Amino acid sequence: MRDFFKGFKMFGQGLGILLRSPKLLLIGALPAVLTTLLLLGGVVALAFWIDDLSLLVTPFADDWDPGWRTTIRVAVGVAIFGVVLALCLIGFTAITLAVGGPFYEHIAEKVEDDLGGVPGAVDLSFWRLLGMGLKDGMALVLRSLMFTIPLLIAGFIPVVGQTVVPVLLALVTAWFLALELIAVPFYRRGMDLKQRRRLLRKRRALALGLGLPVSLLSLIPFAVLIVMPVGFVGGVLVAREVLAADTVNQKL
């Protein structure tokens, strides 16, 4: 719990840093605007067609009692919408990071310079950041499907599908978001996704403390334009914490 609250605190510190530097906040919001417009159209379309999708995947309930039929179809609709939102959040971060790589590298550089800098930082071009962001983002989205698809199936279970499943879905989303949010500081140190995952697994609660507020606040319409840059700055702080602890452990 201590690590979880520490991650939450770092998210708050990220907000404080950006409020003291509105220019960085504006820079961080630009890629999020483009990605928001792209994904918002998909979510609106899903909301419009969600009833038809629920009917499509529950033909077995056609002859059920009307009360149970409505209950299961509402549960399925909620599960589908929840899983799609989770994938959109994870995909949103991946797309935003890929498109706005140079913007977030600039923000990370400014923040880390104020915190002591990164000796021997790797100079990353736009195309290299774009390639790395897309590659890692796709890998994380595909990996997240291993968890979100079973949760979608579990969403069919009455009561559990509307109580336990949303909580698990929020935690899964928070974990994969955290892996995305700390990406740039690792890129600047020449470290890949495998190393990110290895180090963050040691501080899973810290990752959840960062990823959970980002994922939940991003559900508020248009809040993501502020939340995402704050999350990336928080990701810089979390990355430095994780990397510093790993350095100490290696020396021991």
Side-chain angles (χ1 to χ4, degrees), residues 47-93:
F48 184 78
W49 294 104
I50 193 67
D51 289 341
D52 295 317
L53 283 174
S54 296
L55 291 172
L56 183 65
V57 300
T58 57
F60 55 84
D62 288 343
D63 299 324
W64 287 15
D65 176 81
W68 282 109
R69 183 170 63 238
T70 300
T71 299
I72 192 64
R73 284 176 172 165
V74 169
V76 169
V78 170
I80 292 174
F81 203 78
V83 169
V84 171
L85 280 179
L87 291 176
C88 281
L89 284 172
I90 297 167
F92 181 96
T93 314

Side-chain angles (χ1 to χ4, degrees), residues 2 13-14 18-19 29 34 52 59 64 74-75 92-93 112 116 148 158-159 167 190 216 227-228 236 238 243 252:
R2 184 181 303 167
Q13 289 174 331
L18 289 184
L19 288 178
L34 180 61
D52 295 317
W64 287 15
V74 169
F92 181 96
T93 314
E112 294 209 88
T148 52
V159 182
V167 173
L216 295 178
V227 172
M228 198 55 64
V236 172
V238 168
L243 289 163
L252 294 176

Side-chain angles (χ1 to χ4, degrees), residues 156-223:
F156 285 79
I157 304 173
V159 182
V160 173
Q162 293 76 57
T163 54
V164 178
V165 170
V167 173
L168 294 177
L169 191 59
L171 294 175
V172 168
T173 304
W175 168 250
F176 284 102
L177 269 177
L179 282 169
E180 289 282 9
L181 292 171
I182 68 169
V184 173
F186 277 77
Y187 289 157
R188 297 186 72 227
R189 291 165 173 79
M191 302 176 76
D192 59 16
L193 176 58
K194 184 177 179 180
Q195 292 167 300
R196 247 189 290 164
R197 287 173 50 209
R198 177 180 63 82
L199 291 179
L200 209 59
R201 274 200 299 264
K202 298 177 182 178
R203 305 288 296 277
R204 199 178 295 273
L206 183 68
L208 294 176
L210 172 69
L212 198 57
V214 175
S215 62
L216 295 178
L217 291 174
S218 294
L219 297 176
I220 302 172
F222 304 109

Side-chain angles (χ1 to χ4, degrees), residues 90-177:
I90 297 167
F92 181 96
T93 314
I95 296 171
T96 303
L97 177 60
V99 172
F103 296 91
Y104 292 118
E105 185 191 13
H106 174 72
I107 292 173
E109 182 178 355
K110 293 290 290 182
V111 173
E112 294 209 88
D113 283 348
D114 290 342
L115 296 173
V118 180
V122 177
D123 187 21
L124 301 169
S125 67
F126 169 78
W127 294 110
R128 186 177 178 190
L129 270 175
L130 179 63
M132 294 168 71
L134 288 174
K135 177 185 174 183
D136 289 352
M138 182 61 68
L140 287 173
V141 169
L142 291 175
R143 192 173 183 83
S144 72
L145 288 174
M146 296 169 56
F147 299 91
T148 52
I149 289 177
L151 287 174
L152 172 60
I153 296 171
F156 285 79
I157 304 173
V159 182
V160 173
Q162 293 76 57
T163 54
V164 178
V165 170
V167 173
L168 294 177
L169 191 59
L171 294 175
V172 168
T173 304
W175 168 250
F176 284 102
L177 269 177

Side-chain angles (χ1 to χ4, degrees), residues 15-45:
L15 176 61
I17 290 171
L18 289 184
L19 288 178
R20 291 193 297 271
S21 181
K23 182 180 178 181
L24 289 182
L25 180 60
L26 179 60
I27 291 172
L30 289 176
V33 170
L34 180 61
T35 311
T36 297
L37 293 175
L38 178 65
L39 294 182
L40 186 59
V43 172
V44 170

